[in-house]
Amino acid sequence: MANDSVVIIGAGQGGFQAAASLRQDGFAGRIVLIGEEAGLPYQRPPLSKAYLKDGDAGRLSLRPAAFYEQHRVELLDGRLAVDIDRDAQLVRTDAGESIPYGHLILATGSRNVRPPIAGIDTDGIQELRTLRDAAAIRARLVDVRTALVIGGGFIGLEFAAVARGVGIDVTVIEAAPRLMARAVSPEMSRRFATLHQALGTRLVLGQAVTGILSDPCGQARGVRLADGSEHHADMLLLAAGVRPNTDLAARAGLAVDNGIVVDTFLQTSDPSISALGDCAAYPDARTGRRIRLESVQAATDHARTISRRLMGSPEPYTTVPWFWSDQADWKLQIAGLGQDDDTVQSREGPNGAVTILRFAKNRLVCVETVNAAAEHMAARRLLAMTPAVTREEVENCPGGLGELLKTRNTIPARQRALI
């Protein structure tokens, strides 16, 4: 690979990191980074948080333009990759370019789900995925007095917290019986429901939106729910989740199953093509089941794994998944992956901090924290250890996960294997 060419489709944080890591790891060949959006690659997580508050787009750029010149990364922004010719090893764009590759990295990310709701294409429904989306929402917030959020996941709740902070009347409608149901335990859902209600947000749970209501000018101004009730607002935000962008991979004949199928080295069914981030479905090192993570950290770690493999130092991807969300003054951090049938133990910390431990077959599999960064960091290290931490170990160490980590670190690996 030392003097070959690498083409990266997708200029989000994962695609950017792939280009940066290849140069850091000594790759001397051509790197082409194709981005559908015009402009420099930027951070997405702040769009629903800090950017809505301060509007400072300059702070979002991952690197200045000079970085791409200095590191010889050809940034083709405002281009859409429309075809992959695997036999000729070419990528074709909507601008008519045919770009050869020695290795291709798919960092195509995900797109917002548009549920089968009557009137879902009505004008005026906002989405929050890109900088352009966030800028449009921020501009509207100046005049909005009431807002409806369709979806009680991270993005919807982050927006709700910001909107309440500037005095907007907010209603969140979630079809599931609880908030963030795919991401957190029922106990953590309950705590965040209490937080948002304390902020003044109305929550409507367990009710699906069946139709969009519009004003005489054809602008979206409300929703009809499955129970027949109607809710009206100046602005509607659709935040009903995402789905992976796999169309390009599927047309090229790559294996796809809720994501582009890759192995533990992030290699697809074609050895000349890798995939990373939101669009990649890989085998979890701890459970063996195929998973797909919507996480910036996973995308950047995937990129580093691919770079090392291409440069001759292959290592399987085994990093413990972790996620975060900032809602009002609560920082939610999650390490590991939980399941609905986990058993749960909750611990209260100083200054309102919370730690929720999730166990499967008496083994620690996931830790959720609020405003407890040290516990989160300890959890990530503990979850990476072999063998898995047991419930008995946790209960015998009431001083917290930091104390348990110190205890574990003093046990020789040979003895830990007998735990």
Side-chain angles (χ1 to χ4, degrees), residues 37-88:
E37 293 182 63
L40 297 174
Y42 62 87
Q43 306 172 65
R44 292 186 189 274
L47 294 180
S48 56
K49 311 175 190 70
Y51 175 78
L52 285 183
K53 295 178 182 178
D54 63 28
D56 187 354
R59 294 198 305 177
L60 299 178
S61 293
L62 290 164
R63 293 291 189 281
F67 173 90
Y68 302 91
E69 298 174 10
Q70 292 168 2
H71 292 83
R72 294 180 296 112
V73 175
E74 299 174 41
L75 176 60
L76 302 183
D77 64 315
R79 312 285 216 290
L80 178 66
V82 296
D83 180 59
I84 300 169
D85 185 333
R86 290 169 54 193
D87 293 330

Side-chain angles (χ1 to χ4, degrees), residues 3 63 68 85 105 117 139 170 206 318 335 368 377:
N3 295 295
R63 293 291 189 281
Y68 302 91
D85 185 333
I105 299 175
I117 298 171
V170 179
T318 60
E368 303 164 351
M377 294 303 297

Side-chain angles (χ1 to χ4, degrees), residues 158-180:
E158 289 167 358
F159 165 82
V162 172
R164 283 300 302 138
V166 293
I168 294 171
D169 186 20
V170 179
T171 299
V172 173
I173 300 170
E174 169 56 53
R178 61 187 181 89
L179 299 176
M180 302 182 289

Side-chain angles (χ1 to χ4, degrees), residues 13-14 44-45 109-110 129 154 242 276-280 282 292-303 317 319-324 334 337:
Q13 289 192 235
R44 292 186 189 274
S110 55
R129 188 71 186 164
F154 286 1
V242 302
L276 61 81
D278 289 18
C279 69
Y282 69 96
R292 187 178 60 81
L293 298 179
E294 296 160 11
S295 159
V296 166
Q297 194 58 46
T300 55
D301 286 343
H302 287 176
Y317 177 73
T319 304
V320 173
W322 61 277
F323 315 86
W324 80 95
I334 306 165
L337 295 171

Side-chain angles (χ1 to χ4, degrees), residues 357-359 362-367 382-383 388-390 394 401:
L357 305 126
R358 303 178 68 172
F359 300 88
N362 287 320
R363 302 287 179 177
L364 184 67
V365 294
C366 181
V367 177
L382 286 167
L383 288 167
V389 173
T390 67
V394 173
L401 298 182

